[in-house]
Amino acid sequence: MSFSSVLPEDEDFFRVPSYGDDTGGLRRRTYTTSVVRTSISRLAKQTPPVDDTVFAVKDDENFSLFAKGRDYEPAYVTHEYTQQEKDTLNAYESCDYLPSHSHIFKHWIKRQMISDLEIDRWIMMGLIGFSIGVVSFFLHQLIERIDHLKWRITKDLLDKEQLVEGWAYCSGYSMLFSIFSAFIVVFWRPSAGGSGMPEVTGFLNGTRVRGIFSVRTLIAKFLSCVTAIGCGMPIGPEGPMIHMGAIIGAGLSQLSGHLNKVKLTFFERFRNPEDKRNFITAGVAAGVSAAFGAPVGGLLFCMEEVSTFWSKTLAWQIFFCCIIATSTSDIFNSAFERFEFIGMFGEFRTSRYILFNVDEAVDINILMFIPSVVIGAIGGVLGSLFTIINLKIHRYRKRLLASITSTWLVRIIRLLEPALIMLIMSTFSVFLPMAFSCVPFTCMKGESGILSEYCVNDTLNKYDSHFVEENIFHTCGVGTYYLDNTTFVYNGTYNELSLLIFSSKDEAMKTLYLRNSHRMFNYGPLFATLAIYFIMVCWSAGTSVAAGILVPMLMIGALYGRILGLVLVDIFGVHLDEDYLSWMDPGAFALIGSASFFGGVARLAPAITVIMMELTNDLKVLLPVMTAVMVAKWVGNLFTHPYFHALLELKCIPFLDQHPHVQIDETNVKLDLFSAEDIMAFPVLSFDIVEHVPKIAKVLLDYQHNGFPVIRRNKEGRRVCYGLVTRSDLLVILSHKNVMTDGPVEPMDENTVDLVSIGFDEMVKTKKDSEEITVKFLLQFVAEDSEYKNYYVDLTPYVNQSAMTIQTKFSLQRAYTLISALGLRHLIVVNHNNEVRGMITRKDLMGHHMVEVLSPILQRKPY
Ligand code: ATP
């Protein structure tokens, strides 16, 4: 191949005499010294540089190096990504969501029977919803069982005053399960670690993340999540449920490959990237719905946070999927408690299917908006602090592990980290309550033996009766019963801290949300639990277990919400029932606090509000909750990114936001002032419509680009853009000798294209194989073997004729919108004669890349 052919004649290039020299002239890009250095060293080894920023041109036997610009120093690179992070980012590939609109695709689509009702799609949505509901049922039951066993035996031992044995059991049990949980992730399936949300969000945005949708990941995630949460780690199952939902969505709809050997022709038409994306989106929404028992919240969460591509039709289908998922898990949960059949199959009792059901909601008053705004602001500040600390711990952990050379040592540290967390948590749970004294309370039991409506403590606030169902509290001993006329009266004491940290998180949350329980918790236990939780959740999220942080976030918010409620009660006194100040209820503020912290961390608004309502059944506080969430979002935005977006950056997963944020020198850059030619890569490697086979193989070997424009002569004889062919399509073509001809031929007539050559299904299917190492071998063989020396291939049937092209002066802002809204991978830039001038990929529009490229332009030509 002649390398000089890759430089278009009408572009300016500058010879690089030697490293570091100024080549003069102005072009559109800056080059880092490392790019130039690498290219020169490649040149020295007589291999063509693969980077598109510096080019080798071969003239007879001599190479010359040409660059497209002159600024070799990375003076303008302002983004925080390190070179290593950029390499990780570049290692991810984008997805081709839209199938190639080629002749073979049109032929394939003609054969597909698609009815208007799309019954098969609804069936598939129902199947996904049902499966997720079943998984969620097993998840909750198992977590409850493991959790119950831990606290019951620990409590028994402590009640017998066997303190050390109780502590040893509690810690040993928790550590054992946490080690098992981490073991699965560290030694078997690393892709099952964490919540999986950044990876799924990245995929739905257009980045292919390998290995996240396999059955093994699903099993590993399930086991790791169940054991970690069951043993009491300060984490929640919602994130993992999102990932598991996505795997189920992908697995059921694709039903092929390694997932299982079943090939159902019925669902065949869903086996394409676009439908896969839609079913994964449905799985995500159904996962949240089933985890929280919040079908509408799940849908909104998916729309606001995880999904990038959304439509009305899809919303309806996902809505259906969420109904099925939630009702399936509710129906099973109604009949079983810790896998024991309790005989209430199908009875949706509020206490069983509404996670933190609030019985006695209080009436609100306009004055309530003032503390709600304050809670919102606290949520914003604490939410940002949480994000910052969590990221710092993540980075520190990453650096520490990277500095250790022994892989085994790294694995052992990752295995023991959750165990250490559990040791600390168990020690706190058992010993810390001893630092707090027990508070007296009285409960009344009616004749029927059923607990009366309320219990009271010495300050005469009512508590919900479930509070005393298990009426011995850690550190407080047994109370006394006596009969008062027809009523049994129980006098006992309880420990506030043990109520919060010596029980499951769900129980603690329910207690925090209790209404008319103004002084049930005092400042000491609330602050102590807040501090422990805040630090431990920050630490736990990011360890090697499958974990989410949604429920712990609610807990943190509920704690400071209650503290603020208590402050109000201390200032204004206790107001019960119909009183106009009855809204001053710490339980109500706990709920608002939860929403505000969730809002401060995740920066979602409608989703959080709806989830909170569905979780607690307390519609009366809707407006204060909305206010707090909104304020938390605004305040949080002043300090940091939303947490989940920050995780995407941390994991270096390429993500295109709906709106570009390009900041240079702390000023937002208006992309409309730039055009496509400012960012495009050029010159472009392209292929002729009838191309020499060894040349294709050589280009694929030497360059890693994933798309190549295809050139055809028009009537005036100009070489114009005909479409685009992808790398994976070319790999399939190269493995089919029967489509090649011996010697060049005339391109096929548009109307009589030979379609029997390679089927569209084969193109899609073989893409997986194309990722194998054998590809390199195939390419080398085709490039060098004398058999192919004279072979040509006519690309007409395989070219994507709907590849987007834009003109050189096309607005950069709109190019961004096109790529992000349509889920495109490539944009071809052409001049007014439709001749290819440049190439823009999805990754070229990443914020840090645009900063790098646009900074020098701004320097020279400030707008
Ligand atoms: P992805 O891997 O997700 O497709 P990418 O940007 O890494 O994204 P590549 O095709 O490897 O994809 O492109 C790397 C760089 O080369 C980008 O700047 C892109 O604009 C440019 N490029 C892509 N295709 C060509 C081509 N055919 N000729 C020249 N440059 C290209």
Side-chain angles (χ1 to χ4, degrees):
M1 173 191 172
S2 153
F3 289 99
S4 50
S5 65
V6 300
L7 295 176
E9 283 154 20
D10 58 349
E11 295 287 358
D12 299 326
F13 287 89
F14 305 97
R15 188 181 288 271
V16 184
S18 63
Y19 163 65
D21 279 3
D22 190 343
T23 54
L26 295 178
R27 288 303 307 162
R28 303 182 187 93
R29 281 204 167 182
T30 54
Y31 308 103
T32 61
T33 41
S34 67
V35 166
V36 178
R37 201 191 312 244
T38 325
S39 302
I40 289 175
S41 74
R42 283 203 186 105
L43 193 63
K45 287 182 203 148
Q46 300 279 295
T47 56
V50 284
D51 198 282
D52 72 315
T53 52
V54 180
F55 293 86
V57 177
K58 196 177 174 198
D59 183 9
D60 298 328
E61 283 312 301
N62 301 318
F63 280 104
S64 308
L65 194 66
F66 284 82
K68 290 189 287 182
R70 67 170 190 168
D71 304 305
Y72 292 151
E73 297 303 325
Y76 307 107
V77 182
T78 56
H79 198 275
E80 66 207 53
Y81 282 124
T82 61
Q83 188 55 44
Q84 198 188 4
E85 284 174 330
K86 280 187 201 165
D87 292 344
T88 318
L89 208 88
N90 287 332
Y92 283 106
E93 277 199 10
S94 304
C95 310
D96 287 299
Y97 278 140
L98 298 178
S100 167
H101 189 240
S102 57
H103 284 281
I104 53 170
F105 170 73
K106 287 185 245 177
H107 181 67
W108 175 83
I109 203 113
K110 254 191 248 166
R111 297 197 326 257
Q112 304 301 313
M113 313 253 288
I114 303 171
S115 81
D116 280 351
L117 291 176
E118 293 216 277
I119 292 172
D120 50 351
R121 193 177 292 276
W122 290 97
I123 293 176
M124 180 50 78
M125 287 289 179
L127 270 176
I128 293 172
F130 177 78
S131 316
I132 291 173
V134 172
V135 170
S136 161
F137 159 72
F138 278 105
L139 188 93
H140 279 123
Q141 295 288 324
L142 272 168
I143 289 177
E144 254 184 58
R145 192 152 197 130
I146 299 173
D147 181 86
H148 184 73
L149 208 63
K150 168 180 162 177
W151 293 118
R152 193 173 58 76
I153 298 181
T154 310
K155 204 159 172 287
D156 285 350
L157 287 168
L158 294 179
D159 286 345
K160 288 182 210 148
E161 303 207 338
Q162 296 173 317
L163 194 64
V164 177
E165 289 85 342
W167 169 78
Y169 173 79
C170 185
S171 325
Y173 184 97
S174 312
M175 287 167 73
L176 209 69
F177 274 96
S178 60
I179 289 177
F180 176 76
S181 171
F183 182 86
I184 297 170
V185 172
V186 175
F187 286 94
W188 187 36
R189 230 37 219 174
S191 57
S195 70
M197 247 181 87
E199 288 80 0
V200 175
T201 311
F203 178 85
L204 292 178
N205 186 259
T207 299
R208 192 184 321 171
V209 189
R210 285 168 200 275
I212 57 164
F213 294 128
S214 77
V215 181
R216 279 192 208 135
T217 306
L218 176 67
I219 298 169
K221 192 118 209 164
F222 181 86
L223 293 175
S224 175
C225 174
V226 159
T227 42
I229 298 169
C231 76
M233 266 188 93
I235 48 174
E238 299 69 26
M241 267 311 290
I242 289 175
H243 189 182
M244 287 190 261
I247 299 176
I248 293 171
L252 286 179
S253 63
Q254 304 306 297
L255 278 177
S256 64
H258 58 277
L259 261 180
N260 46 58
K261 306 282 176 245
V262 190
K263 290 255 182 318
L264 292 181
T265 47
F266 189 53
F267 294 125
E268 193 187 323
R269 76 181 178 98
F270 298 143
R271 277 171 227 150
N272 64 71
E274 201 183 353
D275 279 320
K276 182 176 174 186
R277 180 186 72 197
N278 291 345
F279 287 117
I280 289 176
T281 312
V284 167
V288 188
S289 307
F292 278 131
V296 187
L299 179 109
L300 288 177
F301 184 85
C302 181
M303 186 190 84
E304 249 192 299
E305 179 59 37
V306 190
S307 140
T308 304
F309 304 96
W310 196 259
S311 72
K312 251 196 246 173
T313 329
L314 185 63
W316 274 104
Q317 289 160 356
I318 295 178
F319 190 65
F320 172 68
C321 186
C322 292
I323 299 173
I324 302 281
T326 315
S327 37
T328 306
S329 112
D330 283 348
I331 286 174
F332 284 118
N333 281 325
S334 69
F336 294 92
E337 189 159 335
R338 295 183 216 110
F339 289 120
E340 277 163 30
F341 187 64
I342 52 167
M344 293 201 292
F345 194 83
E347 286 182 46
F348 288 178
R349 304 226 170 142
T350 41
S351 58
R352 291 195 60 73
Y353 87 98
I354 297 184
L355 212 53
F356 309 126
N357 182 43
V358 169
D359 278 333
E360 285 182 81
V362 290
D363 286 325
I364 67 160
N365 178 303
I366 186 143
L367 292 173
M368 197 173 183
F369 286 93
I370 301 169
S372 302
V373 170
V374 176
I375 292 191
I378 298 174
V381 174
L382 285 186
S384 306
L385 190 68
F386 177 89
T387 308
I388 292 167
I389 296 180
N390 188 261
L391 294 189
K392 284 214 178 308
I393 296 178
H394 261 295
R395 292 216 163 91
Y396 177 73
R397 182 188 291 118
K398 220 164 137 183
R399 265 204 312 274
L400 182 80
L401 295 180
S403 66
I404 300 172
T405 42
S406 156
T407 330
W408 273 97
L409 190 58
V410 169
R411 285 179 173 179
I412 288 172
I413 292 176
R414 291 181 60 204
L415 202 66
L416 293 183
E417 191 186 357
L420 178 64
I421 291 176
M422 282 323 297
L423 180 68
I424 297 173
M425 283 298 282
S426 309
T427 310
F428 276 140
S429 307
V430 174
F431 294 110
L432 208 56
M434 292 178 180
F436 293 85
S437 50
C438 294
V439 183
F441 75 96
T442 306
C443 262
M444 277 148 275
K445 240 179 182 182
E447 259 185 307
S448 57
I450 298 169
L451 283 172
S452 70
E453 242 181 47
Y454 60 88
C455 307
V456 290
N457 76 354
D458 56 352
T459 49
L460 282 179
N461 289 158
K462 293 193 287 177
Y463 301 153
D464 193 299
S465 55
H466 96 262
F467 167 61
V468 281
E469 267 160 25
E470 288 186 30
N471 45 28
I472 306 170
F473 293 92
H474 170 42
T475 78
C476 296
V478 195
T480 52
Y481 275 104
Y482 66 90
L483 188 66
D484 179 12
N485 293 328
T486 55
T487 314
F488 284 102
V489 179
Y490 175 77
N491 277 327
T493 52
Y494 70 95
N495 185 311
E496 296 162 76
L497 199 76
S498 94
L499 260 180
L500 294 174
I501 62 172
F502 191 78
S503 64
S504 75
K505 279 183 292 299
D506 289 3
E507 280 306 313
M509 298 274 297
K510 275 185 201 157
T511 324
L512 282 171
Y513 289 157
L514 275 183
R515 299 298 145 84
N516 289 326
S517 59
H518 299 67
R519 292 190 198 280
M520 187 167 181
F521 297 105
N522 276 304
Y523 295 108
L526 289 173
F527 272 115
T529 319
L530 180 61
I532 294 171
Y533 249 81
F534 196 87
I535 296 167
M536 291 319 238
V537 177
C538 276
W539 183 6
S540 306
T543 50
S544 310
V545 295
I549 55 158
L550 265 56
V551 167
M553 276 196 298
L554 299 183
M555 175 92 176
I556 293 171
L559 286 163
Y560 71 72
R562 222 170 214 279
I563 292 173
L564 194 107
L566 198 59
V567 171
L568 289 179
V569 169
D570 277 348
I571 300 172
F572 299 99
V574 174
H575 297 266
L576 295 173
D577 300 331
E578 302 299 302
D579 195 323
Y580 81 105
L581 283 181
S582 63
W583 55 267
M584 262 182 215
D585 189 310
F589 285 113
L591 198 160
I592 299 171
S594 291
S596 74
F597 192 68
F598 199 166
V601 175
R603 313 287 157 75
L604 310 173
I608 294 176
T609 310
V610 175
I611 287 178
M612 289 316 293
M613 295 300 105
E614 289 181 299
L615 274 181
T616 58
N617 194 22
D618 184 2
L619 256 181
K620 285 190 179 172
V621 287
L622 175 64
L623 287 176
V625 163
M626 288 171 82
T627 312
V629 169
M630 214 52 241
V631 174
K633 185 175 160 68
W634 284 331
V635 173
N637 280 346
L638 296 177
F639 300 108
T640 52
H641 283 337
Y643 177 71
F644 298 120
H645 282 221
L647 279 189
L648 280 164
E649 250 183 47
L650 185 92
K651 297 198 164 194
C652 304
I653 298 176
F655 181 85
L656 280 197
D657 238 322
Q658 210 174 3
H659 304 288
H661 303 287
V662 182
Q663 271 208 338
I664 297 176
D665 297 336
E666 297 190 2
T667 316
N668 278 333
V669 175
K670 298 185 181 76
L671 291 190
D672 260 329
L673 299 176
F674 294 88
S675 49
E677 63 179 350
D678 291 326
I679 200 96
M680 71 189 191
F682 63 94
V684 178
L685 284 164
S686 52
F687 292 115
D688 285 335
I689 191 81
V690 176
E691 191 54 276
H692 189 209
V693 171
K695 176 184 165 183
I696 297 178
K698 186 100 181 65
V699 170
L700 294 187
L701 262 182
D702 294 342
Y703 298 87
Q704 292 306 311
H705 302 314
N706 290 300
F708 301 88
V710 177
I711 310 293
R712 197 174 174 137
R713 284 192 189 279
N714 68 3
K715 284 184 191 131
E716 293 107 53
R718 276 183 191 281
R719 290 164 49 76
V720 296
C721 178
Y722 179 67
L724 183 113
V725 64
T726 63
R727 181 182 191 85
S728 49
D729 288 346
L730 287 169
L731 289 170
V732 179
I733 293 166
L734 291 187
S735 60
H736 284 75
K737 225 166 148 189
N738 58 330
V739 297
M740 301 171 192
T741 54
D742 200 353
V745 287
E746 275 302 304
M748 286 179 208
D749 183 337
E750 277 285 300
N751 304 315
T752 54
V753 176
D754 172 18
L755 294 172
V756 286
S757 43
I758 306 174
F760 179 72
D761 330 43
E762 208 170 339
M763 281 284 190
V764 181
K765 186 185 69 194
T766 323
K767 272 180 187 165
K768 279 203 181 110
D769 305 339
S770 70
E771 291 157 10
E772 303 299 323
I773 302 166
T774 47
V775 164
K776 203 165 174 200
F777 179 75
L778 168 83
L779 289 178
Q780 260 161 0
F781 184 72
V782 176
E784 286 159 17
D785 196 84
S786 57
E787 193 186 340
Y788 288 88
K789 210 168 123 202
N790 206 27
Y791 276 14
Y792 282 77
V793 62
D794 185 348
L795 297 173
T796 312
Y798 320 108
V799 176
N800 178 5
Q801 291 176 301
S802 298
M804 292 278 176
T805 56
I806 54 173
Q807 297 244 332
T808 40
K809 294 290 174 199
F810 193 88
S811 143
L812 184 53
Q813 170 77 39
R814 292 170 202 203
Y816 186 99
T817 312
L818 262 182
I819 286 210
S820 62
L822 293 179
L824 302 180
R825 191 173 181 182
H826 300 101
L827 267 183
I828 306 172
V829 186
V830 292
N831 65 10
H832 58 276
N833 285 326
N834 197 24
E835 289 161 329
V836 176
R837 281 292 162 261
M839 193 77 163
I840 299 177
T841 62
R842 181 174 168 270
K843 271 199 226 141
D844 287 336
L845 299 183
M846 293 282 301
H848 72 280
H849 184 253
M850 288 212 271
V851 169
E852 230 173 283
V853 178
L854 300 181
S855 295
I857 301 177
L858 264 183
Q859 281 272 324
R860 290 192 293 264
K861 196 172 76 175
Y863 287 108

